[in-house]
Amino acid sequence: MRENSKKVEAGRKTPLGIERRFDRFGDWLDGSWALRKANPLLNKYPKALMILTWLMRISVGCVFIVSGLSKGIDPWGTYYKTSEYLTAMHIPIVEWGNTVLALAFILFTVEFVIGVSLIAGCYRKAAPIMAALFMLVMLPLTLWIAIADPVADCGCFGDFLVISNWASFIKNCLISVAVVWLIKFNTKARCLIAPYLQWVATVAMAAYIVMVGYIGYWQQPTIDFRPYKIGTLLFPEEDEPEYLPKYLFIYEKDGEIRKISEEDNIPDEADGWKFIRREEQEFVRNKKASGALLKTEADFRVWNENGEEDVTESLSGYDRQLILLVPDISSLSMATSWKINRLYDMSQADDIDFFAVVAGSPKAIEEWRDLSSGQYPIYTAEDTSIKELARGNPALVSLDNGRIIWKSALSALRLDDDSDDMEITTSPIGQGMTGEEALIDLSLIFLSFLGALALLSFLRGRFGAFRKS
């Protein structure tokens, strides 16, 4: 008997004895006042215990999935938010670019894998433990930002859902309570994927979210949660009035007067109706002129190279424009200068207005102009506005009559060396495929794969039970 118990104990060894430590935590919970009172009821209604466990598992899992997926869709945003946290902690990050990016990828990958594992029932003991370790970091962190307010928002769900710092702390408190429940009771609910296939599911989870993050980093987020989406009118025409009048049209027939609005059908004059006059009723906002104002507080403003004069209006009125966006000109690599100059030459050949909008001091701009030999106009804007417009350093935005029709990070472009025609292709998600289409395709493949593993686990269980009987 002692030999068997030693074997069992040996089989339960984990790094740093984490699992055994949480087992002792579970034993402590058994002796707590709450469980002493609740255990008789839970033992009397085992189905209710299982249902509650499933509800906790799904709730916590969904929060982790949404948090991880929203960060993975926009890895640049996660990178910016991680840098913001490190700066608030007075940690120097000037030379940490790649390290911070790696931390961002690790963060949303771990969150997503924990969330899917909880819902699928993979690693029924380890997954709640990993969630608890995660919350041991996030709970005090969100308490700190709620009290000290060093960042504008927690960034828990990226730009998909912005919540206040106190709301983030309360959310993490509720998650922590649910995680404690799962540490104790998660094994009471069955797993959907058999243990011998769970490592395959974990690889699939990590591969899926890393691929989504790769597309978002290399090209653009597969779903744009920011203000300047495709189709937004960034530079309205100068002569477009902000408000337009709305009219009523007065018609008369045999002494009967009828007032017709612009949305109504005009009466047929062949039926005897006669137009009398037009009455101006009110002024309504011109959607064409205000299409860029998806944000309620401010729109995209561009300044001259010294940052002294607003030149936004002077940039309107062009049929086709290609904007180079540089949120941090000081960290711009010289390796990109050839591609940028090539794009400028191609734009000139195709009669496309090409200019750069950068965030940086006049001295940094002048140094870049000298080093890169760029001949294109350079304007300035706030780095936050540039990052909201498109992700990447640098990035490109294409406009048609002031309206955004396409955007991409410069790193994703492939240029034709033998032609001056503006033929641009992107590498990560294929020619002609949008980010949303790529996300849908990847998600369908991922969910189908998990479904196949769950079905195989079910059939294996049924077949094994049948064979034993």
Side-chain angles (χ1 to χ4, degrees):
M1 178 69 82
R2 264 184 206 173
E3 210 171 302
N4 290 337
S5 64
K6 284 183 181 178
K7 287 181 181 178
V8 171
E9 186 67 24
R12 293 172 58 81
K13 286 183 179 178
T14 56
L16 304 178
I18 290 175
E19 188 170 316
R20 282 183 294 171
R21 291 176 186 274
F22 276 90
D23 280 345
R24 288 198 288 271
F25 177 69
D27 294 339
W28 175 82
L29 285 176
D30 282 334
S32 66
W33 175 86
L35 272 186
R36 284 204 313 271
K37 295 293 184 181
N39 266 331
L41 189 63
L42 295 175
N43 294 331
K44 185 177 180 180
Y45 300 103
K47 286 188 177 180
L49 173 62
M50 187 180 66
I51 291 172
L52 280 173
T53 302
W54 267 110
L55 288 175
M56 297 289 187
R57 181 190 284 184
I58 292 172
S59 300
V60 176
C62 284
V63 172
F64 271 85
I65 289 173
V66 173
S67 180
L69 187 58
S70 59
K71 291 187 182 78
I73 286 174
D74 185 12
W76 278 101
T78 308
Y79 167 77
Y80 294 142
K81 182 57 69 173
T82 304
S83 301
E84 191 177 346
Y85 271 105
L86 294 176
T87 301
M89 297 175 186
H90 305 290
I91 299 176
I93 58 172
V94 177
E95 305 296 333
W96 284 26
N98 293 332
T99 304
V100 176
L101 180 63
L103 286 174
F105 267 79
I106 291 171
L107 174 64
F108 62 70
T109 300
V110 170
E111 280 189 283
F112 184 79
V113 170
I114 289 175
V116 179
S117 296
L118 286 172
I119 291 180
C122 296
Y123 309 107
R124 286 181 295 175
K125 295 198 72 172
I129 290 174
M130 290 300 297
L133 293 175
F134 193 86
M135 297 313 299
L136 282 175
V137 176
M138 290 301 168
L139 191 60
L141 179 64
T142 50
L143 176 60
W144 170 62
I145 66 171
I147 295 173
D149 199 27
V151 294
D153 62 87
C154 66
C156 301
F157 304 107
D159 289 326
F160 166 66
L161 179 62
V162 178
I163 61 177
S164 68
N165 292 338
W166 276 110
S168 176
F169 174 68
I170 294 170
K171 180 254 306 178
N172 284 345
C173 289
L174 296 175
I175 291 174
S176 299
V177 172
V179 167
V180 170
W181 177 281
L182 291 175
I183 288 173
K184 181 61 184 174
F185 297 113
N186 197 37
T187 54
K188 302 294 183 182
R190 60 168 297 176
C191 55
L192 301 181
I193 298 175
Y196 70 95
L197 290 174
Q198 288 175 2
W199 70 271
V200 182
T202 303
V203 171
M205 298 171 204
Y208 167 79
I209 193 63
V210 168
M211 181 59 70
V212 170
Y214 169 76
I215 295 172
Y217 175 79
W218 192 253
Q219 185 167 337
Q220 285 296 292
T222 51
I223 300 177
D224 196 345
F225 301 123
R226 293 156 295 146
Y228 304 105
K229 297 177 174 60
I230 299 296
T232 298
L233 190 62
L234 189 65
F235 296 139
E237 292 289 344
E238 293 181 49
D239 57 353
E240 281 288 340
E242 188 175 358
Y243 291 90
L244 291 175
K246 195 171 183 180
Y247 297 100
L248 281 179
F249 302 94
I250 311 302
Y251 281 81
E252 184 268 339
K253 174 185 176 182
D254 299 333
E256 179 186 351
I257 302 296
R258 179 177 295 182
K259 296 182 178 181
I260 308 297
S261 70
E262 295 178 9
E263 291 80 16
D264 296 332
N265 294 325
I266 301 297
D268 192 348
E269 293 188 3
D271 295 336
W273 289 99
K274 182 181 177 181
F275 174 73
I276 304 300
R277 66 183 181 277
R278 182 183 70 178
E279 294 182 357
E280 186 177 289
Q281 293 297 301
E282 60 182 347
F283 280 83
V284 294
R285 196 171 184 85
N286 183 4
K287 293 182 180 180
K288 184 177 179 182
S290 59
L293 303 178
L294 293 184
K295 296 189 295 179
T296 56
E297 296 180 357
D299 57 340
F300 187 74
R301 310 305 298 175
V302 181
W303 304 78
N304 66 352
E305 188 170 319
N306 294 323
E308 298 172 351
E309 181 184 353
D310 189 338
V311 297
T312 308
E313 291 186 1
S314 66
L315 298 177
S316 63
Y318 291 89
D319 291 337
R320 294 187 296 170
Q321 292 174 301
L322 190 62
I323 308 175
L324 177 73
L325 297 172
V326 186
D328 184 7
I329 196 170
S330 62
S331 63
L332 199 60
S333 169
M334 283 304 301
T336 64
S337 61
W338 175 87
K339 187 181 285 188
I340 295 172
N341 292 335
R342 176 72 173 149
L343 280 171
Y344 174 68
D345 293 337
M346 294 167 67
S347 300
Q348 292 292 99
D350 277 8
D351 196 26
I352 297 174
D353 181 40
F354 183 99
F355 59 91
V357 178
V358 309
S361 65
K363 180 180 178 182
I365 294 173
E366 191 59 36
E367 289 177 355
W368 168 255
R369 196 193 299 275
D370 291 340
L371 292 173
S372 64
S373 302
Q375 302 299 315
Y376 44 86
I378 298 179
Y379 305 104
T380 60
E382 293 182 358
D383 61 338
T384 302
S385 297
I386 295 175
K387 292 171 183 176
E388 285 182 337
L389 180 53
R391 297 304 199 198
N393 189 39
L396 287 166
V397 173
S398 178
L399 305 181
D400 186 3
N401 290 312
R403 196 174 297 277
I404 300 172
I405 60 172
W406 169 86
K407 48 175 136 172
S408 173
L410 182 68
S411 56
L413 301 187
R414 297 293 179 265
L415 304 181
D416 187 352
D417 296 338
D418 302 323
S419 174
D420 284 335
D421 293 333
M422 185 62 75
E423 294 291 336
I424 300 176
T425 57
T426 55
S427 59
I429 60 177
Q431 180 71 14
M433 180 180 288
T434 66
E436 290 184 4
E437 290 170 343
L439 180 63
I440 290 172
D441 287 351
L442 282 174
S443 300
L444 288 175
I445 293 171
F446 172 64
L447 292 175
S448 299
F449 185 75
L450 288 189
L453 292 180
L455 180 61
L456 182 61
S457 302
F458 173 76
L459 293 176
R460 174 77 179 259
R462 296 280 290 184
F463 178 76
F466 176 76
R467 186 174 58 185
K468 287 179 182 179
S469 63

